[in-house]
Amino acid sequence: MAGADAVDTHVLVVGAGPVGLMLAGELRLGGADVTVLERLAAPTTESRASTLHARTMELLRQRGLLDGPGGLSDPEAPPNEPRGHFGGLPLDLTLPSSHPGQWKVPQTRTEELLGAWAARLGARVLRGHEVLELAQEPDRVRLVAEHHGVRREFAARYVVGCDGEQSAVRRLAGIPFPGDDAGRELIRADVDGIDIPNRRFQRLPNGLAIAARRGDGVTRVMVHRFGTPPRTARTRFADIVTAWRDVTGEDIAHGTPLWVNSFGDASRQAERYRAGRVLLAGDAAHQQMPIGGQALNLGLQDAVNLGWKLAATVLGRAPAGLLDTYHDERHAVGRRVLSNIRAQARLLLGGPEVESLRSVVGELTSYDKVRAHLAGMISGLDVRYGAAEGDEAALTGSRLPELRLDSGASTAELLRPARGLLLVTDPAFAAAAEGWSASVDTVVTRPTGPLSGHTAVLVRPDGYVAWAGDGAAGLLPALTRWFAPDPRPTTTLHPPQPTVRRRKMGNLTGKTALVTGASRGMGRATAERLAADGALVAVHYGSSADAAAEVVAGIEKDGGRAFAVGAELGTPGDVHELFLALEAGLKERTGETELNILVNNAGVMGGVKAEDTTPEQFDRIFAVNARAPFFVIQRALANMPDGGRIVNISSGLTRFANPDEIAYAMSKGAVEQLALHYAKLLGPRGITVNSVAPGITRNGNPLFDIPEAVEAMSALSAFNRVGEPQDVADVVAFLVSDDARWVTGSFVDASGGTLLG
Ligand code: NAP
Ligand code: 2V4
């Protein structure tokens, strides 16, 4: 089994289908390190599940995956279809939701979208890896996979099997999978070159026929001959041709089959979704007939339920028992969905003996309450976790429908980073979750929609209401049950020393950043801080390649993501060289070249009196400190999406006289102009541009090894010490965070009060 050099990660997800990829993204949002192993060498091109239901669409919207050109709810993209069915009986699926009805999206597209998202967030997907062995140890799971005939070893705190009905993880973990074998089957094919009428569940004397012609002329046919058990051999097109002729009388033998398969009505559910450090999600946890497209939706919702809980668990931030609620909640939901699917399979594939039952159910669905009940079940909108029996109206346990709050923000957007969300309608409550600020965001808002009648509504990262009520007496137990309280704050010393403070974990998750001059000093500290906040950081250097490599290694050791890019600024072609390396690094890691954050930090100091400064020295200082930031910004804007952040490092010397650094101070005066003018220009794109002015800050300069010099420099600060690189990095981290969205064009004095005089 795996040795010391095994690939080590927090969570190994086995299976890069939609469920595995969704889970990988959710885990990354929660801050966990994720590696996904996939048996197939390339994503499947097969046309599989193609229906996304309303609850899944809401969850995808919550993660920002629907909007924008090419997003799944692009009006130009897939059509929404409110007409669904229950066991082949027509059923309008419309219910109050931001995305009511069914959304027809080929599985290849869903997979592509989720794959790009997970990669952007930092999940590693290793294809062509087939799992062979799995062994649980007290603190980890060891796993062996075969890759091109070579055994590779992996170790992880947890393994999640998202590897489908035939799950190797489930088998190797010895998790029983009880249930019923298939008694009937539907055989289906995508066929080109045939011209037959469309049929929605047409029941004919010999069987059931379904045909739907797509925009590209290909027709999907599905057929079942009443009373015939599933065949044991692999389905061939000839089987479909024969069955179709028997049932409809039509001949489709001249068509070209693009894809042929069959699915039966087997129904099985894993006894436990968790066995120690092994968990199951999606079809690995439950096998069902994919009637009405519920299977994929069930799996995606398993992933969203599990992601935040597992991430909190591996990072040591989960309250006791949190991970076990995954089995408790999703096994119960799965059991209920499997039961409705079995009922539908009976109605759909039963012969003449089910006609009377079909007509009774058909009559019942004409009552809107019945229709809405069944639609809730199929769409997943009725899922409630741990709600009290019979308390249908209670908000606790159900999903929070999307609401637009006073601030204009929607709850779906507020849930995007997969953190807890506390909505309070009485400002007096705002302080209640102060001790949970590392994992819960608090928003004060007017009582609106389902919030009416509640002073506080606590929402979990998966969008389900953990608690809704009126008194702190109920809120505190709910906070304690679902979220670990913040670590105790460190004691404040006087004068204030730089401390490692509690942070909103992962508030830059999914973002990319370039920090120039990050091989040491404040640039290094900034790169480390942004990476700790979840960003993928490009660590730029001029000539110190080894130092930059060390910075990258340190970030990776701490679980962050970074890569080094070298370019000597102030030389011809500098910006071009920088962006060639930057774009290659981003593309390799995220599949894209998007840059969200730019910190222009690289700078040179003069250290020569005005009378001794040569034109060459002057030009060099301006080329590196002023010209390069201007052109770096100009070039970066091509890669920067709306909402981006630019911070330029200036100096307190633009407000404090030092005759030894006149040219340097002039160059910093010039760089400060960037914030004023660019902030105005870029406001419409939501991009902020600010200047940060450090005072004397400890860098590697030997001056800082001389106690007398440090004492003299310290005396300039109101805190009687010199700045540490982290003091400045923390200010930059704020300015690039979402919290600073309202700050642009500003000059931020980060000199420890040196400019107070
Ligand atoms: P530092 O320790 O001197 O490091 C400078 C960084 O910039 C290094 O990573 C260096 O990379 C890079 N760099 C310098 N010239 C470059 C060039 N031509 N091309 C590419 N990279 C170059 O810096 P620091 O003291 O932390 O200062 C960072 C920023 O804060 C500077 O803009 C500085 O002006 C400003 N500042 C400093 C102080 C202070 O007291 N330290 C006070 C106020 C403002 P290589 O070594 O790889 O070339
Ligand atoms: O005086 C600074 C100062 C200095 C220096 O000490 C000399 C050095 C380290 O070679 C370059 C330098 C760069 C600076 O940005 C500052 C600086 O920002 C500063 C100084 C004194 C008082 C307030 C300041 O902000």
Coordinates of all heavy atoms in Angstrom, one line a residue, residues 121 150 273 375 471 619:
L121 N -11.3 26.8 -9.2 CA -11.2 26.9 -7.7 C -10.0 26.1 -7.2 O -9.8 26.2 -6.0 CB -12.5 26.3 -7.1 CG -13.8 27.1 -7.3 CD1 -15.0 26.4 -6.8 CD2 -13.7 28.5 -6.6
V150 N 0.8 1.7 -14.6 CA 1.7 1.9 -13.5 C 0.9 2.1 -12.2 O -0.1 2.9 -12.3 CB 2.6 3.2 -13.7 CG1 3.5 3.5 -12.5 CG2 3.4 3.0 -15.0
Y273 N -24.0 5.9 3.8 CA -23.3 6.8 2.9 C -21.9 7.1 3.4 O -21.1 7.8 2.8 CB -24.1 8.1 2.7 CG -25.3 8.0 1.8 CD1 -25.8 6.8 1.4 CD2 -25.9 9.2 1.3 CE1 -26.9 6.7 0.5 CE2 -27.0 9.1 0.4 CZ -27.5 7.9 0.1 OH -28.6 7.8 -0.8
A375 N -44.8 17.6 -8.0 CA -43.8 18.5 -8.7 C -42.7 18.8 -7.7 O -41.5 18.8 -8.0 CB -44.5 19.7 -9.2
G471 N -35.5 34.4 18.9 CA -34.7 34.7 20.2 C -33.3 34.2 20.1 O -33.1 33.2 19.4
D619 N 16.2 57.9 -14.5 CA 15.3 57.2 -15.5 C 15.0 55.8 -15.0 O 13.9 55.2 -15.2 CB 16.0 57.1 -16.8 CG 16.0 58.5 -17.5 OD1 15.3 59.4 -17.0 OD2 16.7 58.6 -18.5

